[in-house]
Amino acid sequence: MSKESMPLLGATEIRRLADELGIRPTKTLGQNFVIDGNTIRRIVAAANVSPEETVLEIGPGLGSLTLGIMDAAAKVVAVEIDPPLAKRLPQTMAEFRPGRENDLTVILSDAMKVTELPGEPTALVANLPYNVAVPVVLHLLEHFPSIRHGLVMVQDEVADRMSAGPGSKIYGVPSVKGAWYGTMRKAGVIGMNVFWPAPKIQSGLVGFTRDTDRSDAPDRKQVFAIIDAAFAQRRKTLRAALSGWAGSGIRAEQILTLAGIDPKERGEKLDIDAYIAIARAAEQVPAEPKPES
């Protein structure tokens, strides 16, 4: 049987599994299960998963996307926060992909608390809850450098923000921090009717590639602190926005000038390389002495 003809979970199967487990999708966990096989195949194809790869999936739910990923990859490591769903997933794999049971590892955990995984996943493919999508992606990219590429499905508006470039009205913290790890790109839009329950808004696909070496860059936490300060009040000039972080407006201006950046510029105009330049310049500008009490 070809991979294209392998059975996937449709609306009937999803509802049967949900009834069996007594599951009713909750907004708290951001549960919207994909019930359309063509959408699953589209997501997996857009993820460009190779047959030898181990794929990390966050929030597999009832397993609709998991089966599609398994058809493209060697192994899947699935992190699920809901105990009944995590317990049922291996059985679903045995039913729909007999012989592949050992290629699936299920971890019962909150994705934001995972800092170790079996093996070394090289790709991330996930249908992420809207309210935690950006923190989860950044957390995983920080803790698992083996992840070289991937595709996540998020709220369409979030997808636009994650892939936005400098100067855009929607360019912000998710855009810049994502760029620290590599290239983020909008990879498509998914309608509402392919989910159960159907959300009230469209979903967007974000593809990413870790294609940047940051080994010679300043400390990531320092760079991210600058980004947070720059966008905390995005209408302010960088001199004003970074004054608290730098210790004073004077020192902020000195740092920005040394970095080759106009102190009157705003944070939304700078790319990740500019923020790295600010962090590097800060290492060369002494902190102002605190006044004696």
Side-chain angles (χ1 to χ4, degrees):
M1 183 179 295
S2 67
K3 291 181 179 180
E4 291 74 17
S5 61
M6 295 289 278
L8 295 169
L9 300 182
T12 301
E13 290 79 17
I14 288 291
R15 289 188 171 89
R16 173 179 64 81
L17 290 171
D19 288 342
E20 173 192 321
L21 297 173
I23 294 290
R24 288 295 174 268
T26 68
K27 289 185 178 179
T28 304
L29 296 179
Q31 292 173 325
N32 296 94
F33 303 123
V34 182
I35 58 175
D36 178 66
N38 289 331
T39 299
I40 294 296
R41 294 186 182 95
R42 176 186 170 191
I43 293 170
V44 174
N48 292 316
V49 174
S50 300
E52 72 279 0
E53 288 194 278
T54 295
V55 176
L56 173 62
E57 182 187 9
I58 303 300
L62 291 167
S64 51
L65 181 56
T66 313
L67 294 176
I69 297 171
M70 187 64 77
D71 292 340
K75 295 183 179 181
V76 175
V77 177
V79 177
E80 174 57 59
I81 195 173
D82 192 330
L85 293 176
K87 185 177 180 180
R88 182 60 169 81
L89 193 56
Q91 183 181 340
T92 302
M93 183 62 62
E95 291 176 6
F96 285 84
R97 297 296 183 274
R100 297 296 306 275
E101 300 91 333
N102 293 335
D103 295 331
L104 172 69
T105 301
V106 181
I107 298 172
L108 177 62
S109 179
D110 180 341
M112 290 295 293
K113 297 179 179 178
V114 173
T115 56
E116 294 183 3
L117 289 170
E120 292 192 340
T122 54
L124 168 67
V125 182
N127 172 19
L128 294 175
Y130 291 165
N131 58 335
V132 298
V134 172
V136 165
V137 170
L138 295 177
H139 171 82
L140 295 173
L141 290 175
E142 173 190 350
H143 288 280
F144 301 103
S146 63
I147 296 175
R148 307 307 304 173
H149 71 106
L151 186 92
V152 294
M153 181 160 56
V154 298
Q155 181 180 343
D156 193 37
E157 179 183 332
V158 174
D160 289 335
R161 291 205 300 268
M162 291 176 71
S163 57
S168 166
K169 291 182 179 180
I170 57 174
Y171 181 72
V173 172
S175 322
V176 195
K177 289 185 177 180
W180 167 272
Y181 296 103
T183 302
M184 299 271 175
R185 65 190 184 281
K186 182 80 173 287
V189 177
I190 302 294
M192 297 170 280
N193 294 331
V194 301
F195 296 94
W196 176 69
K200 296 181 180 180
I201 48 180
Q202 294 187 130
S203 298
L205 300 177
V206 179
F208 67 87
T209 305
R210 196 194 294 260
D211 53 8
T212 309
D213 181 8
R214 301 292 184 200
S215 58
D216 293 332
D219 180 68
R220 178 191 59 81
K221 291 182 179 179
Q222 176 77 311
V223 177
F224 279 19
I226 298 169
I227 295 168
D228 288 335
F231 285 95
Q233 293 176 291
R234 62 186 297 153
R235 298 307 303 165
K236 284 190 173 184
T237 65
L238 281 167
R239 183 190 189 281
L242 298 183
S243 61
W245 162 80
S248 72
I250 294 174
R251 183 167 182 261
E253 183 166 343
Q254 291 172 336
I255 292 170
L256 289 163
T257 301
L258 183 59
I261 296 166
D262 184 350
K264 297 179 181 179
E265 190 61 273
R266 289 182 169 81
E268 63 196 39
K269 299 293 185 179
L270 305 188
D271 63 13
I272 184 61
D273 291 329
Y275 283 103
I276 291 172
I278 294 171
R280 188 170 282 122
E283 297 172 350
Q284 303 175 53
V285 178
E288 296 179 357
K290 295 182 179 180
E292 295 183 4
S293 57

